[in-house]
């Protein structure tokens, strides 16, 4: 069993913390932004200097799943004073949202340039096993539901078909003056997400949304991984 998954299950958690989820993604070749978990304003400042501005500041807590709804994500922090302020703000907001929240730290993360948001996910069906999803990300996935599915494992050819099947494929090709995105980078992430799901049967759900796709490369800005305790 992967040590990250083993640690979470041993602590009775079915949800990986965001830094854990991103570390697991990195192990499977899924690119994520540079980041560091810190425990003080001084550490936050040093991390921001190391990563480079602008940065995103997020709370790390198993008790706050939807961090944006709780006011625990601050984007576009551009200077050291802003980092100190954001560090305090996400902790204050977390405790206002849930006074009993266990705070594991604050995540200082690279803020990516704008790109096209897509979503890549996985779900484990009791009958068919793991299936992989691809679609436009952000609010589009909730409102338009422009998505496609395949049962894992998935080949590069399967992944490319998935991308081309969505109705919004033109957007990825560079619609009305928008830059085309790196399709090969998305294919790689889909294939690696498939591998993550097939090799870790404890993972019941994988949610990479958004994945920011750019002219060159793509990175998973948010990663959510839900585990199930297997009965043997």
């Amino acid at each position: 069993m992967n040590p990250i998954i083993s640690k979470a299950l041993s602590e009775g958690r079915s949800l990986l913390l965001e830094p854990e989820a991103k570390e697991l993604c990195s192990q499977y070749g899924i690119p994520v932004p540079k980041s560091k978990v810190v425990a003080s304003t001084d550490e936050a400042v040093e991390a921001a200097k190391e990563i480079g501005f602008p940065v995103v500041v997020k709370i790390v807590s198993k008790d706050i799943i939807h961090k944006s709804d709780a006011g625990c994500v601050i984007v576009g922090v551009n200077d050291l004073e802003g980092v100190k302020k954001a560090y305090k703000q996400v902790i204050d907001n977390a405790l206002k949202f849930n006074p009993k929240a266990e705070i594991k730290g604050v995540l200082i993360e690279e803020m990516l340039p704008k790109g096209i948001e897509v979503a890549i996910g996985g779900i484990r069906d009791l009958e068919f096993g793991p299936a992989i999803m691809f679609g436009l990300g952000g609010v589009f996935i909730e409102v338009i539901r422009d998505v496609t599915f395949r049962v894992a494992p998935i080949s590069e050819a399967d992944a490319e078909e998935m991308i081309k099947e969505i109705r919004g494929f033109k957007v990825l090709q560079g619609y009305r003056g928008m830059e085309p995105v790196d399709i090969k980078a998305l294919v790689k992430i889909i294939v690696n997400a498939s591998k993550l799901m097939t090799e870790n049967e404890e993972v019941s759900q994988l949610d990479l949304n958004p994945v920011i796709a750019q002219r060159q490369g793509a990175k998973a800005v948010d990663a959510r991984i839900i585990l199930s305790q297997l009965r043997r």
Side-chain angles (χ1 to χ4, degrees):
M1 187 185 297
N2 186 283
I4 294 172
I5 293 172
S6 179
K7 180 176 183 290
L9 291 176
S10 71
E11 294 174 359
R13 290 190 283 119
S14 61
L15 179 71
L16 293 186
L17 299 172
E18 184 178 349
E20 293 173 329
K22 286 181 172 173
E23 174 58 29
L24 185 58
C25 286
S26 292
Q27 290 176 10
Y28 278 85
I30 298 171
V32 297
K34 292 181 288 186
S35 66
K36 189 170 185 180
V37 178
V38 299
S40 69
T41 52
D42 287 344
E43 287 183 10
V45 164
E46 288 306 310
K49 286 180 183 176
E50 187 179 319
I51 291 166
F53 291 102
V55 295
V56 180
V57 180
K58 305 178 182 179
I59 203 71
V60 180
S61 172
K62 66 179 176 60
D63 301 311
I64 300 177
I65 297 172
H66 301 292
K67 296 182 286 291
S68 295
D69 294 346
C72 293
V73 178
I74 299 175
V75 301
V77 180
N78 281 306
D79 55 45
L80 299 180
E81 283 306 311
V83 170
K84 293 177 185 176
K85 184 178 176 183
Y87 178 92
K88 183 177 184 301
Q89 190 174 339
V90 294
I91 292 176
D92 289 347
N93 288 349
L95 295 175
K96 282 179 189 174
F97 184 80
N98 181 354
K100 295 181 180 179
E102 182 185 358
I103 295 171
K104 291 287 189 179
V106 171
L107 188 69
I108 309 298
E109 186 172 82
E110 168 192 14
M111 184 169 173
L112 299 182
K114 285 187 177 180
I116 302 296
E117 293 187 2
V118 301
I120 296 166
I123 190 162
R124 190 173 303 279
D125 183 87
L126 291 175
E127 185 175 349
F128 298 106
I132 303 299
M133 179 275 300
F134 175 81
L136 291 180
V139 295
F140 289 103
I141 196 167
E142 297 171 10
V143 177
I144 301 175
R145 299 298 298 171
D146 184 11
V147 298
T148 184
F149 286 87
R150 288 288 190 286
V151 174
I154 287 174
S155 67
E156 289 190 0
D158 294 328
E160 194 167 342
E161 278 183 4
M162 291 175 73
I163 293 168
K164 290 178 178 178
E165 277 178 6
I166 65 167
R167 297 190 303 276
F169 178 56
K170 281 186 178 179
V171 174
L172 304 180
Q173 290 179 298
Y175 186 66
R176 290 196 172 181
M178 298 170 72
E179 282 200 332
V181 305
D182 190 339
I183 300 296
K184 287 184 179 179
L186 293 179
V187 165
K188 185 177 178 183
I189 294 175
I190 293 169
V191 170
N192 289 340
S194 168
K195 191 175 180 185
L196 189 158
M197 290 291 294
T198 54
E199 292 187 2
N200 298 279
E201 56 183 341
E202 304 86 7
V203 175
S204 63
Q205 289 182 47
L206 168 68
D207 185 15
L208 308 176
N209 183 24
V211 173
I212 303 292
Q214 295 167 326
R215 189 176 186 88
Q216 289 190 323
K219 289 184 180 181
V221 172
D222 202 5
R224 188 164 175 254
I225 295 177
I226 298 176
L227 308 174
S228 59
Q229 185 76 57
L230 296 173
R231 293 183 176 88
R232 299 191 183 279

